[in-house]
Amino acid sequence: MPKTKSVISVENVVATGNLSQSVDLVEINTTFEQTEYNPDRFPGLVFRLPTPKTSTLIFRTGKMVCTGSRSEEQAVVAINKVVQNLKKGGIKIKNKPICEVQNIVASVDLGGQIDLEEVARQLPRSMYEPEQFPGVILRADEPKAVFLIFSSGKLVCTGTKQEKDIYSAVKKLHTRLEKLDLMIY
């Protein structure tokens, strides 16, 4: 068990939605004020919601990508809310969106300093090139996650699809760093 408790904060959840039908992005853009569509620059339309504060990309194929939510549930709520807004605005939507979380990004504070040189030396699947990037990049297997580890004891965890996997991966890493005596409190 780690000596100190890790402080974990989910910063962003990326989720996809699929309507399984094509949609008219020009019609959506002219119907809604909170949209942005510039097909010469990007093929998707941006649909912004104030609550939950998210941005959802909508493509003409009916596929959507939602970013900015702070939980898995919030991402699904945002996608469904976009679809509700589209329906209210007169856009013909036949299907309920199929939603799936693709990635979760969390910031973590382990509460102590970390010896990055030793982390890179002792942990397999880690990479440290301080001239290129000020942290260690570590790829964890079980659960699958990628960590950006900084000497301050702060890290970024990404690559998980469930919040529980973040907590599990962080606990595992924190315990391992302490066992190898790589944490300084």
Side-chain angles (χ1 to χ4, degrees), residues 11-26:
E11 301 297 336
N12 186 27
V13 176
V14 178
T16 55
N18 192 347
L19 293 170
S20 304
Q21 73 176 69
S22 60
V23 290
D24 185 341
L25 299 181
V26 174

Side-chain angles (χ1 to χ4, degrees), residues 49-64:
L49 288 177
T51 7
K53 192 171 182 343
T54 55
S55 292
T56 301
L57 293 173
I58 305 173
F59 297 92
R60 64 171 184 73
T61 58
K63 291 186 177 179
M64 300 180 283

Side-chain angles (χ1 to χ4, degrees), residues 10-11 20 23 34 41 52 63 65 67 70 77 80 82 91 96 100 106 111 116 129 132 147 169:
V10 173
E11 301 297 336
S20 304
V23 290
Q34 67 271 42
R41 289 184 53 211
K63 291 186 177 179
V65 179
T67 62
R70 298 292 186 118
V77 165
N80 283 306
V82 166
I91 309 298
K96 191 176 191 291
E100 189 180 336
L116 297 183
E129 293 179 28
Q132 303 284 323
F147 289 101

